[in-house]
Structures are given as structure tokens and as C-alpha cells.
Amino acid sequence: MTTNSELTTPKGRTIGRGINWKLFMQDNLTGSWMQTITVLFLALVTGFFAYGRYEALPIATLVVLGAWVLGIVAVVIGELFHKHTSLSRWLKENLLNSFSNSLLTLFIALVLVSAINGIWQWGYVNANFNPAETTPEFRSDNGATWGVLWGARKLLMTGWLEPVHSWRVWLSLGFILTMWALTYVTSRPALKEKLRTVRKVLNGFWLLSPVVLYIFFAGVPAGEYNIRGIIIGVCVLVAIYALLWSQKVIPFNWSSIVTTAFAWPLLYTIWWFIGNSGQFSPIDPDKWGGLMLTLIIASSVIVLAFPLGMVLALARRSEVFGIPAWLIWPVAVATTLWGFTTTPELLATSRNLVEQIMSFWPLLILAIAYMIHQVFNGNIVAGAGTTFIELIRSVPLITLLFMGIVMAPFFSGEGVSIPKPWLVIVGYTLFSSAYMAEAIRGGLQAIPKGQYEASDALGFNGSQKMRFIILPQALRIVIPAIVGQFIGAFKSSSLVSIVGLFDFLGINRSIVSNPDWLGLRLELYVFMAVIYFTGSSVMSAYSRKLEAQLGLGDR
């Protein structure tokens, strides 16, 4: 005697063979009193909500109900005849696999349709797109006033930058878009080998792009031709070349060393010529604003924090020979005794208990010596890297931004004023580099020990080991984390509005203070959300593409 319910058609075919209807009802409705109440409650809520939506949006509600019923019919037929289509199987596995999920699917679909309709009505049907009709008498109670975006386009894009310099902003945008287009074309598999020389030239331009963009945005001051600076620059470049060659990171080549030696004079001559031509006169960075300032800060932080974070990660994991204890403690004790010579004077001028305690600051020298000896085994490189990372990560970003702006005058000297954007970029870079270092350190720790041993067996020195073996694998592993840091830097750059910069978000206050645009915050926030979402999505999409190209996650 079978426990399965079966239905037989006139032709003798069995429908629902293998389906235990009693167990089916227990799983979906009658399994417990709580399950029954939940399903009935969902049914009532969904029914009342569908009725309300039908009165407001009859056609859209009927379409959703019809699609929902058709989906259920397709799933039921597929189950009864044991023959699913790809669509019915997907519906069964994801949306309509139980009574409660089916009701939730209908409820969420109706909510989405209602939300989309509300956005459509507010953002298009009842909206006003005329930039000349943004004052309160032209505004609709249930519609957007998009004219504010066009009317305030100058403030949104470049802030308080003088209109005479707008062509430089467009020139920089054209430069970046051209570079991206050429890079995309030359990286195609069919053209990659044919255009190898062009790709090398493009890579050189990408390396110089920060300097080019600095010329566009900040300008170049006129000045005399500095021969001494040229000699110093050539010596520095040749020294770097010699260091890399001595570590066997790059091969020695006369043409490359001659190119390195002549690169600085050539670039400096171009810089001097641009400055004296007057075509790119200096611009006060404090006048930057809008989306331009946001992109400048985010791009600068991304470009600077990545190499700095890599250095910090390598420093924290360094295993260099530490300073021995017989040298640490005598120096620490001598320095502490010398420091105590200032204690009587500080005690005499102390005004409260806190200042009296701070007058014994030389004791910190002994604490630092203990940490270097006991925690880091005398490894000052690892100690400095670890201390920096932990110290920076222990304070919020806004604290670093305020400290950079408030404390900069104490270090810049009398009469020297550093523009706020540079101070913000420095503070934000230090903050982001600490988190970047931890992400990269995670990748370094994920490399098996055998890779290090194989590098040593091949005779690689430390620089070669990191350059050719360890870092390529470690960075490949942490691509998602690195891109996450980039996206965070792009979005968190809006915090600079708190310290008085008129970035893309901070310029809102100036826009809505205009009588013609008073109160139009929602339209501006929606537009900014779209921009931030687009930028983050582009970086995320590129990350997924890069992961697919490198085979990340494949084993």
C-alpha cells in the first residue's frame, strides 16, 4: 500500500507520482501551530497590501499578480509532471519553494513596484527640469526640481575655482579619458603583441600622469633655471638605479642608465618651460572644490597609500638583525639620565598633577627600550612599522584630519601657509596606508613557507625574493581587500567637509544657501549618491575583471 497520493488521467498517466502530499502540507502549512499562524499572517498582510496597491496602481498590481500566479502554475506543473523548464526550476529553488516564500515573493514584488512607481513619479513625471524655475513658487510638492543640478553645475563640479581655469579641468578630463581609451585598445589580445612599444610609452605616461594632472590643477610657477637642482636630481636617480642594480632587481644596461641620467634634466626643462610660458599659472588649492576636489583627494590617497602601505607591511614583517641588548640598555639609560636633567625645571613650572606626571617623560625612554628588546628583539624596523600602524589605526580619520590642519602651522614655520588640501591628503594618506599595510600583510602571511625556501634555494636575495616571487603572489591574493580600501578612500573623502573643505558633499551648504535653491537638498543628495555609486561600481567591476584574468579563487 503506497503512502503517496496519485492522480490518474483518462489516458492512464499518473500525475504527482512520488509526491507525499501529507508531508508536503506538513512542511509548508501544518507542521506546527507557529508555522500555520505565520503563513496565515503573511497571507493576510499580503492580501491587504495587494488590495491597497490595486486601488493605487491597478495595472501594475494586476501584472505582478498575474506573473506570480503564472510562476506558481509553472512550478506546480513542473512538480506534478516531474519535468521542469530552466525558468520553473529557478523559480522553485529561489522564490516559490514554499507557501511562506511564495507569499513573501509577492509582497516584496509589490513593495518594489510601489517604490519604483513612487521614484518614477517623483523623479520624472512630476519633476521640473527647467533651471530657471527652481524658486519655491515653481516647485511641486511631490516632484523633484532637477534644474538645481544644471544651475549649480559649476559649484558641483569645481567649487570656487575661477571660471577662467575651467578649460584646464576639461583638459585633465580629456587626458585621462584618452589614456584609458588607448590603454583599452592596446591591451586587446589581438593587438597586445603588435603594439608592445605603444604600450610601453603609455605605461610611461601613466607614471607621469600625477605630474601632468598637478600641472593642470595647481599650475607651475615661473622661476630661474636651477642647474644645482638638475645635478642633485641626476645624482638621486643614478643612485636609485645603482641601488636596484646592486640588489639585482634590474639588470645593468648602458642605454637604460643613460636614459635614467637624462630623464631628470629633460623633465625639469619641460617643467621650467611650462612655468615660464605662463600657460598654466599657479592656482590656489584652497579654491578647489566640488567633485574635482573629491577626485583629487581620493586619487592622491589611493596612489600614495598603496606603496606606503606596502613598505609598512614589509617593515612589520622584516626579520633584520636586531640591535643587541648590550647596546640598547646603555644608550637608553644614558638618554634617560640626560632627560632627567630637565625634570626639576619642569616640576617647578607645573601647574597641576597632570603636568607634574608629564615632567617625568624620560621614563618613556626605558619603556621604549623594553619594547624594542623584549617585543621586537631589537628589530627597530619592525618596531617602527608596527608602532606606526597600530597608532594610526587606534584613532579615527577625522582626528588625523583635524590634527593635520591645526598642528601644521607649528611645523611649517613663521609666515608659511600650507593649503588645506595638501594637509588633508597627507593625513588621509597616513590613515589609509596603515589599513592598506594590514591588508597586504595578510597576503604576505598567506604565502606558503615553501615559496620563501624555494626563493632562497634559487639564490635570490631579499629584494629579488620580494620583487619577483613573494609580492606578486601576495598582492594577487589581496586584490579584493585592496580595492575595498580604494573604494573606502573614495567614499570617505566626504569627511573633509567637516574640516572646512568644500568638496562634492561640502559644497551642498553653499548651494542650498542660495535663495533660488533654498531647501533643495534631496535632489543634490540623490545626484551625489548616483556619482558615488557609479565610482564605486566601476572600481568593483574592474576588481572582478582583474580577479578573473588572474584566476583568483581558482585552484
Side-chain angles (χ1 to χ4, degrees):
M1 181 177 178
T2 181
T3 60
N4 297 334
S5 300
E6 297 181 355
L7 299 176
T8 304
T9 63
K11 295 183 179 180
R13 291 182 300 176
T14 302
I15 302 175
R17 183 177 54 191
I19 298 177
N20 191 320
W21 295 100
K22 183 178 180 180
L23 291 178
F24 174 78
M25 294 300 294
Q26 288 180 350
D27 291 338
N28 288 273
L29 183 61
T30 62
S32 65
W33 65 269
M34 180 62 73
Q35 183 183 41
T36 304
I37 292 175
T38 301
V39 173
L40 293 177
F41 176 76
L42 283 175
L44 289 174
V45 171
T46 305
F48 280 114
F49 186 76
Y51 179 76
R53 291 297 88 200
Y54 176 77
E55 291 184 340
L57 302 170
I59 297 178
T61 304
L62 288 177
V63 170
V64 171
L65 287 172
W68 180 69
V69 171
L70 289 177
I72 291 178
V73 170
V75 171
V76 170
I77 292 176
E79 287 292 299
L80 291 176
F81 289 96
H82 302 283
K83 188 176 182 181
H84 278 286
T85 63
S86 58
L87 177 61
S88 64
R89 186 175 299 279
W90 181 87
L91 290 173
K92 175 184 178 295
E93 293 176 352
N94 296 276
L95 301 178
L96 306 174
N97 54 357
S98 66
F99 287 175
S100 58
N101 285 348
S102 300
L103 292 171
L104 283 175
T105 298
L106 176 59
F107 181 78
I108 293 174
L110 292 173
V111 170
L112 290 176
V113 168
S114 179
I116 293 173
N117 177 74
I119 294 173
W120 175 256
Q121 295 291 329
W122 176 81
Y124 183 77
V125 176
N126 300 321
N128 188 343
F129 295 89
N130 191 346
E133 298 179 353
T134 58
T135 51
E137 61 268 17
F138 293 106
R139 299 176 192 173
S140 173
D141 293 335
N142 55 354
T145 306
W146 297 116
V148 64
L149 301 181
W150 182 256
R153 64 189 183 280
K154 169 63 177 60
L155 292 174
L156 285 171
M157 295 297 106
T158 60
W160 305 114
L161 185 68
E162 293 88 346
V164 70
H165 299 306
S166 296
W167 68 274
R168 292 161 65 165
V169 179
W170 289 108
L171 183 62
S172 62
L173 179 61
F175 171 76
I176 293 296
L177 293 178
T178 302
M179 292 286 292
W180 275 345
L182 292 176
T183 303
Y184 177 80
V185 172
T186 56
S187 61
R188 296 299 89 194
L191 301 174
K192 185 177 293 187
E193 293 297 327
K194 298 179 182 179
L195 301 177
R196 181 180 299 179
T197 304
V198 178
R199 293 178 65 241
K200 290 182 178 180
V201 174
L202 282 175
N203 291 336
F205 273 106
W206 276 118
L207 291 175
L208 293 175
S209 60
V211 179
V212 175
L213 294 176
Y214 177 88
I215 293 173
F216 291 161
F217 289 126
V220 181
E224 297 181 357
Y225 201 80
N226 191 348
I227 301 296
R228 183 169 176 270
I230 291 179
I231 296 175
I232 295 175
V234 171
C235 293
V236 170
L237 287 180
V238 172
I240 294 174
Y241 186 95
L243 177 63
L244 295 177
W245 172 71
S246 65
Q247 294 296 313
K248 298 181 180 180
V249 177
I250 59 175
F252 181 82
N253 186 283
W254 281 109
S255 61
S256 61
I257 193 173
V258 170
T259 302
T260 302
F262 279 95
W264 179 256
L266 177 61
L267 294 176
Y268 179 81
T269 302
I270 296 174
W271 178 274
W272 174 83
F273 177 78
I274 292 174
N276 286 270
S277 67
Q279 294 297 319
F280 295 94
S281 57
I283 297 175
D284 184 7
D286 285 328
K287 295 183 179 180
W288 293 345
L291 182 60
M292 180 185 71
L293 178 59
T294 296
L295 294 178
I296 289 175
I297 293 176
S299 302
S300 301
V301 170
I302 289 172
V303 171
L304 297 175
F306 179 70
L308 183 57
M310 190 184 305
V311 172
L312 289 172
L314 294 176
R316 184 164 188 172
R317 287 180 52 84
S318 65
E319 298 178 354
V320 299
F321 182 75
I323 302 175
W326 62 265
L327 182 59
I328 293 176
W329 288 111
V331 172
V333 171
T335 308
T336 302
L337 293 176
W338 171 82
F340 271 119
T341 60
T342 63
T343 301
E345 181 180 351
L346 293 175
L347 280 173
T349 58
S350 298
R351 295 168 297 181
N352 50 51
L353 180 61
V354 175
E355 292 184 358
Q356 291 176 0
I357 296 175
M358 292 178 62
S359 64
F360 291 92
W361 66 266
L363 294 176
L364 293 175
I365 299 176
L366 296 178
I368 293 173
Y370 176 81
M371 289 186 60
I372 293 176
H373 171 64
Q374 194 70 21
V375 179
F376 301 107
N377 297 321
N379 189 344
I380 294 182
V381 176
T386 303
T387 302
F388 177 87
I389 292 172
E390 297 302 329
L391 181 63
I392 293 297
R393 293 203 307 161
S394 64
V395 296
L397 172 59
I398 193 63
T399 302
L400 292 177
L401 298 182
F402 273 115
M403 288 182 61
I405 291 177
V406 173
M407 299 182 64
F410 295 100
F411 301 97
S412 59
E414 186 177 357
V416 179
S417 178
I418 302 177
K420 284 185 178 180
W422 301 139
L423 301 175
V424 167
I425 288 173
V426 171
Y428 200 174
T429 299
L430 295 178
F431 179 84
S432 184
S433 63
Y435 287 88
M436 186 70 68
E438 288 299 277
I440 296 175
R441 186 169 70 93
L444 293 173
Q445 291 179 335
I447 302 300
K449 188 177 180 180
Q451 295 292 318
Y452 294 89
E453 296 173 347
S455 303
D456 295 334
L458 291 174
F460 285 0
N461 58 31
S463 300
Q464 288 177 311
K465 182 194 306 182
M466 289 296 169
R467 165 66 178 83
F468 299 109
I469 304 297
I470 305 302
L471 277 178
Q473 298 182 72
L475 295 179
R476 173 180 174 270
I477 293 172
V478 295
I479 285 176
I482 291 175
V483 176
Q485 290 292 327
F486 290 168
I487 294 174
F490 172 59
K491 294 188 298 183
S492 298
S493 60
S494 58
L495 289 175
V496 302
S497 62
I498 300 177
V499 295
L501 293 183
F502 294 95
D503 69 318
F504 194 43
L505 183 63
I507 202 68
N508 254 347
R509 295 192 298 269
S510 300
I511 294 176
V512 298
S513 63
N514 189 307
D516 292 338
W517 305 322
L518 193 64
L520 296 177
R521 294 180 180 273
L522 183 57
E523 290 82 353
L524 294 171
Y525 285 137
V526 169
F527 175 68
M528 292 175 183
V530 171
I531 295 298
Y532 280 114
F533 175 79
T534 302
S536 302
S537 298
V538 169
M539 286 188 280
S540 179
Y542 181 76
S543 171
R544 292 194 298 270
K545 180 181 178 182
L546 187 60
E547 292 170 23
Q549 290 177 348
L550 297 177
L552 188 62
D554 297 336
R555 293 290 185 268

